[in-house]
Amino acid sequence: MIPTAEHGVGVRFSRGASAMVSYGPTGAVMLIPVRYNSASKLYFAIAAFNSSATPVNLGAEDVRIYMDGTRPLRVQDFNYLRQESKRAAEREMAAAWVSAGLEGYLAYQAAENHPRRTEIAFRRVSGELYMSRTLIEMQLRQAIAERGRLVLQTTTVDPGSRTGGFIFADQVAVPDGIIRPMTVEVNFGGYPHQFTINLASSATDAEVPTNIPAVPAQRMQAMQRTPETWHFRDGPPPSKVDGMAVID
């Protein structure tokens, strides 16, 4: 993800990681591209600071993503990710039924001459399914709780306050040698903040533009110093394979 200076956006770099900042009449919006996570989703960290005199609502419904200038890319909000986690749990439960049935059948075969052969098989099936179901339900609760903690959800930003969260989308294919522009538009208080990012594979020779205006550390930290968003001592931290750590 290569940031650009289009639409008057400033960028602060820290060892290759970038934080893009746009200023408008109601405040400032910061976008941190975080590439892909372990689930192969494209995602960003978004934070907004309200410098106006009136409250402003901000949520996933205020974010639009466009590929190649015009083609919309679906923003996966909290409800979408929650349903996706439930569908994954349902598939795991179906697999658990099959696995439990197989364990019961093997137990029934092994107890060929045992007088309580059927009971042994039933107990094996019940125990296997109970353990699988308990684990799946626990993982589902953890996944939904994590989504709720990280994903940008509709929040009223009072004057002088901030909010933030992650925005997810499906992975985008970028062939070698090709650079694809992506625009992330955040409507904050009726003003569209637009961030243009060039997507390129690691095998493509694509350099960061040299005309990007830098954002002072003091201004960046003023947006980040809050328990609800991100606070770093000197700009954003370097990107990690599985996303960006949220730290105090």
Side-chain angles (χ1 to χ4, degrees), residues 10 17 21 61 157:
V21 180
E61 64 276 7
V157 188

Side-chain angles (χ1 to χ4, degrees), residues 6-80:
E6 295 182 22
H7 314 292
V9 171
V11 183
R12 183 166 185 84
F13 289 94
S14 176
R15 291 169 289 178
S18 61
M20 308 172 69
V21 180
S22 172
Y23 300 95
T26 56
V29 174
M30 178 174 63
L31 179 77
I32 302 178
V34 200
R35 299 178 178 86
Y36 298 115
N37 67 355
S38 59
S40 297
K41 288 184 181 295
L42 180 73
Y43 73 121
F44 310 88
I46 293 178
F49 172 72
N50 184 3
S51 61
S52 68
T54 57
V56 177
N57 292 331
L58 179 67
E61 64 276 7
D62 298 305
V63 181
R64 299 289 185 271
I65 302 177
Y66 300 96
M67 288 299 305
D68 307 318
T70 58
R71 188 173 70 85
L73 188 66
R74 176 170 182 169
V75 175
Q76 299 177 359
D77 59 8
F78 174 71
N79 289 330
Y80 179 95

